Amino acid sequence: MGRKPCCEKIGLKRGPWTIEEDHRLMNFILNNGIHCWRVVPKLAGLLRCGKSCRLRWINYLRPDLKRGGFTDAEEDRIMELHSQLGNRWSKIASHFPGRTDNEIKNHWNTKIKKKMKHLGLNQAADEPINSITSRTESKQITNPNMSSTIKEKEETKEQPKDDVIIETTKPLIVSNNDEEIQAENCKTLYAEEVDIGSLFAMQDNEISISSSSFSSLYSNISRSESSSYLAGDSISLEQWDLDMTDPLVPWDLFTNLDDTLFLYDKM
DNA sequence: AAGTCGAGCAACCGCATGTGC
DNA sequence: TGCACATGCGGTTGCTCGACT
């Protein structure tokens, strides 16, 4: 009521993203990081709302995304977590590095639900064992049947810390969605604590990134490359030695656009 | 070959939540 | 304290494409 919509509807593009739009968004975020989604499309030269850009980045462009089908073990884990957490897809997704809530939700609705119904677990497919009907309620109710480990993580907001390790030789200040974290005497930070854009903005610290789940993109960037990148000598995606596994859009198509597209810092 | 149907999934919508003033 | 705004989240829609008739 009286509240402005999150985005201007007039004149903004909707529907599937084009390769050029993907390229612009990707380039912009890799160049500048993410500070305010609302201004991202404007500065990146996109006729999209910030919400749409955010979704596209999170669900598709993020370089640490794991692509490909879910394994049986992952499906089992999803079923287990769903029985405990209900339709809290983001919480479930937080247990699967490289997977998005949307992906898990879609997989649940299209595959697992069917599978469970086939096995005669109709109710389980539709509802969690400990059904939580609203997000408001879920914040107030502590699920008594929640397994101790998950309960613990819920309470302490502990996240799995086995994916990305970033080692520094100097105190490190990075931001996590505008929240600054100073890792004074800490040599190791984890992916959940690091905003990638800010990571590249750290010019004075020596950083090495080692990660299995970052094999896709960032692990292939040496510090010198990212420094010159930030200094304005933009590098093309070709130089990044991309190693995306099973992308829906081949990265080759992006590199062909490099000559015709402009980067924000060249505007 | 053309039409129909359904599965899969990307993207949108609206509401909730967090934050700053 | 209340308002405005940005972002996050979950439900839903609608497009695409392959299988089938």
Side-chain angles (χ1 to χ4, degrees):
Chain A
M1 45 171 97
R3 184 178 161 176
K4 266 169 63 178
C6 74
C7 59
E8 299 291 335
K9 298 278 190 287
I10 300 164
L12 291 187
K13 202 179 162 209
R14 296 177 58 198
W17 281 65
T18 64
I19 293 165
E20 181 183 337
E21 287 176 311
D22 281 344
H23 192 211
R24 280 184 188 230
L25 181 60
M26 190 88 173
N27 267 332
F28 179 82
I29 291 174
L30 293 179
N31 267 321
N32 305 283
I34 304 157
H35 301 290
C36 174
W37 279 112
R38 200 181 174 91
V39 302
V40 164
K42 286 174 188 150
L43 298 179
L46 291 163
L47 289 171
R48 298 273 182 175
C49 71
K51 214 169 177 176
S52 182
C53 292
R54 177 185 157 269
L55 213 62
R56 184 64 178 169
W57 173 258
I58 288 172
N59 288 332
Y60 189 86
L61 295 174
R62 237 174 58 199
D64 59 325
L65 283 181
K66 189 195 280 185
R67 296 214 168 269
F70 284 79
T71 64
D72 288 344
E74 282 177 315
E75 280 192 2
D76 290 346
R77 185 83 176 115
I78 290 170
M79 286 190 271
E80 183 193 340
L81 288 166
H82 185 269
S83 73
Q84 293 162 345
L85 300 170
N87 292 356
R88 288 190 284 171
W89 303 113
S90 62
K91 287 261 186 265
I92 294 172
S94 69
H95 291 81
F96 297 87
R99 300 289 193 186
T100 68
D101 53 353
N102 208 34
E103 195 179 7
I104 291 172
K105 179 173 61 183
N106 282 335
H107 190 70
W108 176 268
N109 287 330
T110 58
K111 301 267 185 67
I112 302 179
K113 220 168 169 177
K114 231 173 278 174
K115 191 174 164 183
M116 290 177 82
K117 281 186 175 171
H118 186 70
L119 293 169
L121 301 169
N122 293 25
Q123 196 175 347
D126 291 329
E127 282 183 19
I129 291 169
N130 304 287
S131 178
I132 297 166
T133 53
S134 76
R135 271 183 275 167
T136 316
E137 271 180 332
S138 73
K139 291 228 155 180
Q140 295 163 347
I141 296 171
T142 302
N143 186 342
N145 293 335
M146 194 181 279
S147 73
S148 59
T149 49
I150 291 176
K151 201 168 168 183
E152 219 170 288
K153 284 183 181 177
E154 286 286 299
E155 284 166 358
T156 61
K157 295 195 184 296
E158 185 189 332
Q159 298 292 325
K161 295 188 171 181
D162 57 351
D163 49 353
V164 180
I165 297 172
I166 298 165
E167 293 189 342
T168 72
T169 55
K170 293 180 182 179
L172 190 61
I173 298 175
V174 297
S175 76
N176 176 18
N177 296 331
D178 301 333
E179 179 190 355
E180 279 200 340
I181 298 164
Q182 181 161 7
E184 272 285 344
N185 299 312
C186 176
K187 286 203 74 172
T188 305
L189 289 177
Y190 297 94
E192 293 82 9
E193 301 168 349
V194 178
D195 174 296
I196 294 305
S198 303
L199 172 64
F200 287 139
M202 295 181 286
Q203 303 194 37
D204 295 326
N205 295 320
E206 294 217 344
I207 297 168
S208 66
I209 302 173
S210 61
S211 158
S212 54
S213 57
F214 259 42
S215 63
S216 54
L217 181 62
Y218 294 113
S219 59
N220 292 321
I221 305 166
S222 73
R223 184 59 194 153
S224 59
E225 275 175 332
S226 58
S227 292
S228 64
Y229 195 44
L230 279 155
D233 303 323
S234 61
I235 61 173
S236 74
L237 288 169
E238 287 164 313
Q239 291 171 260
W240 289 52
D241 188 22
L242 297 176
D243 182 28
M244 297 290 283
T245 54
D246 190 27
L248 296 179
V249 177
W251 284 97
D252 291 350
L253 294 175
F254 285 169
T255 59
N256 293 337
L257 289 167
D258 259 345
D259 294 338
T260 54
L261 296 173
F262 59 87
L263 296 172
Y264 168 64
D265 60 2
K266 290 180 181 171
M267 286 170 77

